[in-house]
């Protein structure tokens, strides 16, 4: 949650930072203390809203769909297998590895 909050704050402050960099690098010197605060705030708010929508869309695309079951992350042979979705029709044992393959027949 804190990561999303930091992304939103950074996206709001980005126009201010870019303006300050442009002002420092510009050869033309504007009036001292003149800052288009309202325009920068509007651009920052717009960018924050767009960023929020993109984050929501990306999060929704990773979510499971109807008829899917979530398999949590697992530690298999010292390797972490991330959580994922599998079709609900699959047998529950097929989604989780068993040691039966290693047993002599």
């Amino acid at each position: 949650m804190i990561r999303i909050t930091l992304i939103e704050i950074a996206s709001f402050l980005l126009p201010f930072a870019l303006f300050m960099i442009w002002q420092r690098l510009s050869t033309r010197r504007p009036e001292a203390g003149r800052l288009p605060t309202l325009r920068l705030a509007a651009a920052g708010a717009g960018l924050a809203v767009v960023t929020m929508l993109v984050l929501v869309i990306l999060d929704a695309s990773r979510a499971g769909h109807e008829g899917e079951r979530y398999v949590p992350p697992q530690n298999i042979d010292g390797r972490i297998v991330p959580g994922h979705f599998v079709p609900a029709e699959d047998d529950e044992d097929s989604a989780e590895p068993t040691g039966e393959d290693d047993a002599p027949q």
Side-chain angles (χ1 to χ4, degrees):
M1 188 67 181
I2 191 135
R3 178 183 50 123
I4 293 173
T5 304
L6 291 176
I7 289 172
E8 289 297 319
I9 291 170
S11 65
F12 178 76
L13 294 177
L14 183 64
F16 291 94
L18 291 176
F19 179 77
M20 294 297 181
I21 291 170
W22 173 78
Q23 195 174 25
R24 291 251 188 243
L25 296 176
S26 178
T27 57
R28 184 177 64 107
R29 291 288 159 200
E31 299 171 15
R34 185 148 188 238
L35 182 68
T37 308
L38 186 59
R39 288 183 184 171
L40 292 174
L47 186 60
V49 168
V50 169
T51 302
M52 188 181 311
L53 291 174
V54 167
L55 289 174
V56 166
I57 290 170
L58 288 176
D59 190 46
S61 69
R62 292 185 345 185
H65 301 288
E66 187 176 338
E68 291 184 334
R69 180 176 61 85
Y70 179 70
V71 178
Q74 300 171 355
N75 185 353
I76 300 173
D77 296 328
R79 198 178 109 241
I80 304 252
V81 177
H84 57 280
F85 290 91
V86 295
E89 295 85 34
D90 285 357
D91 189 30
E92 288 192 22
D93 293 332
S94 66
E96 299 173 8
T98 61
E100 295 175 6
D101 295 335
D102 298 331
Q105 295 181 0

